Amino acid sequence: MSVYTGEVFEMARTQFNRIADQLNMPVDERDRIFYPKRALTVSCPIHRDDGSTMVYQGYRVQHHLTLGPTKGGTRFSNNLEIGEVAALAIWMSWKCALAGLPYGGAKGGVCVDPPAVSQRELEAISRRYMQEMIPFVGPHTDIMAPDMGTNEQVMAWFMDTYSMHVGHTVSEIVTGKPVASGGTLGRREATGRSIVYLAEQALEKLEINPRHATVIVQGFGNVGGYATQIFHEHGAKVVGVSDHTAAYYNADGLDVPALVAYGRKHGVLKGFSTELTINREKLLTQPCDVLVPAAIERVITEKNAGSLRCRVLAEGANGPTTPEADTILDQNKDIFVIPDILCNSGGVIVSYFEWVQDLQQFFWGETEVNDRLAQVMGKAFAQVTARAKAENVSMRTAAMAIGVEKVQLAKRTRGLFP
Ligand code: GLU
C-alpha cells in the first residue's frame, strides 16, 4: 500500500515503468528511484475575514535528495491531493536532471481556491503554510517556487516568513520572488520564453518558418500568457487561446495585446468576445502549427490525441498528455512532441539562476539570464533529439531516459546507506 494514489500519480508511475523497461533497469533499483524520499502533510488554520477559523490542508513532497536540495513549485488549488503533488515532484526530478541542475524534484501546495479568499486571507494561508514547512525546507534542503495559483507575492511572503524565523534575510529559500526582494530578472517570463524558444527550434526542423506559424495556447496564466505574448512578439500568428473560463479562436489571428490587457484587468478571459468564442475542448483540435497545452494535467487523452491537427505539440503544463495519448502520438510521425520536462524547464532553470545569484549576492543583467537560459535549453534539446533519433524512440522517452538515467547513476555511485 502506498499513500500516493490517484490518476496523476498512476500516470507518473506508468511513464516511469516504460522508461525503466526501456533502460533495462534492474527491478531492485526501480522503487528506490521512483518513490518519493519523504512527504509532509500540514494543517494551516487561519482567521477568515468574517472572524471564523478555517483549516487548509497543505502538502510538500520531496522526491530525491541524491543530487542536491529538492526544488519545485507550490500550488494553490482546490482539489489538490498528495498523489498529484507526488507525481509533480517526480516530474520535477526528471526535469532538473535533464537540464543538468543540481537538484532533486519537489512539489507542494495548499488545498485552496485563491480567487475564493481575500488578499489578507491569502497572505495568512501563505505565511502559515511556510511556518509549518520550516522544519522540512531550507536553502540547502528544499527550495520552493511558484506554480499554479501562486505568484511572486506569495513567494515574497514565504521568504519573509522564513527569514523572520531565522532572524535574517534568506532570499535563497524560495525562487520566483519579486526582483525587489532578491528575485532575478527574467524569471517571470522564463517558462513562456523557453516554450517559444523550443517550439521555434522544432518548427525549423520541420522547415516551417516560425514567423509564419499559427499557434494555439491553452492556459493564460504565467506560462500560457507569456508564451502567447512572446509568440506574438516574434511574429507568429496566435489563432486560439483559452483559460478555465473561456476559449477564443480566429483563423486570421487574435488581437494578442487586447487579450493581454483584458486578462490583466479582469483576471480571466471570460467576456472578452462573443463572436470568437469556441468550445474549450474543440480549441485543442483546431488546425495550427504549434499547440501549447499550458494549463493542467491530462488534457491530451486517448479521446482527442488522434484528432490533433498541430505539427508541434509544445507541452507548457506538467503532465498534459496521458500515457494512452502518448501511444497514439507515437504512431503519428507528423506531430513533433516537445515533452513537458524539456519544454517548460525554462522556469526551473531560471529559478536555479535566481538561487545561485541569491547565494552569491551577485546579480546578473536580463540579457545574461536569457542567454544562459538559451544555452541550457539548446543543449538539452540537442541531447533529446539526438537520443530520440539514435534509439528510434519518442521525444518523451528520450527526455525521460536522460533524466532518469542521471538519477540512477547518482544513486548507484553514492551507494545505499548504511
Ligand atoms: N513550478 C514550476 C515547474 O513546474 C517551476 C519550479 C521552480 O522554478 O522551481 O517547473
Side-chain angles (χ1 to χ4, degrees), residues 66-88:
T66 313
L67 284 162
T70 51
K71 182 84 194 79
T74 309
R75 181 171 284 203
F76 284 2
S77 146
N78 225 357
N79 302 311
L80 203 63
E81 285 175 5
I82 196 159
E84 177 186 2
V85 176
L88 290 159

Side-chain angles (χ1 to χ4, degrees), residues 71-73 92 95 107 143-147 175 187 318 344 347-348 351:
K71 182 84 194 79
M92 283 306 299
K95 190 189 305 190
K107 199 70 122 198
I143 305 125
M144 294 186 187
D147 196 81
T175 61
R187 174 62 183 88
N318 292 310
N344 69 34
V348 72
S351 275

Side-chain angles (χ1 to χ4, degrees), residues 18 305-306 323-335 337 393-394:
R18 285 183 185 179
E324 298 75 28
D326 262 335
T327 307
I328 297 168
L329 291 171
D330 285 354
Q331 313 300 323
N332 186 347
K333 300 291 171 222
D334 285 340
I335 299 184
V337 177
V393 293
S394 70

